[in-house]
Amino acid sequence: MGWEDGLSLEKYSEYLKLADYFTPNQKEALEITKTKNLQDAADKLKEYFDQVIIKLDKNGCMLVEGDTTHIIPPLENIKAVDATGAEVHF
């Protein structure tokens, strides 16, 4: 799923129920859940997933498992070239 105006849990709930993982970026997570902060967005997404992963751009990612939130920093010495296509240079 990529960005589009009108993202909402109501619109995509049937797809989310079928998915094992959904890894939105910050903007997508806030828009689809209609929340103002990432922890609230993660809490809403926990209704669909055991592990919630939200990409934090250059700051790594947020992983929520149960009541525990982890911020996983980006890997060092990696230059991201294209996050959408997952191209990296070492």
Side-chain angles (χ1 to χ4, degrees), residues 37-53:
N37 68 66
L38 292 178
Q39 190 62 56
D40 289 344
D43 289 342
K44 285 201 173 218
L45 290 170
K46 283 183 356 184
E47 296 174 22
Y48 299 90
F49 304 100
D50 294 331
Q51 296 176 318
V52 174
I53 301 166

Side-chain angles (χ1 to χ4, degrees), residues 52-68:
V52 174
I53 301 166
I54 300 174
K55 296 179 283 184
L56 305 176
D57 193 35
K58 65 181 181 201
N59 296 315
C61 67
M62 175 178 169
L63 169 66
V64 179
E65 297 178 287
D67 294 331
T68 305

Side-chain angles (χ1 to χ4, degrees), residues 1-3 7-9 22-45 52-56 62:
M1 174 184 310
W3 175 263
L7 283 174
S8 70
L9 289 175
F22 171 53
T23 58
N25 63 34
Q26 298 170 80
K27 183 178 178 182
E28 293 163 340
L30 295 172
E31 180 65 23
I32 198 167
T33 60
K34 306 299 186 223
T35 57
K36 302 259 186 228
N37 68 66
L38 292 178
Q39 190 62 56
D40 289 344
D43 289 342
K44 285 201 173 218
L45 290 170
V52 174
I53 301 166
I54 300 174
K55 296 179 283 184
L56 305 176
M62 175 178 169

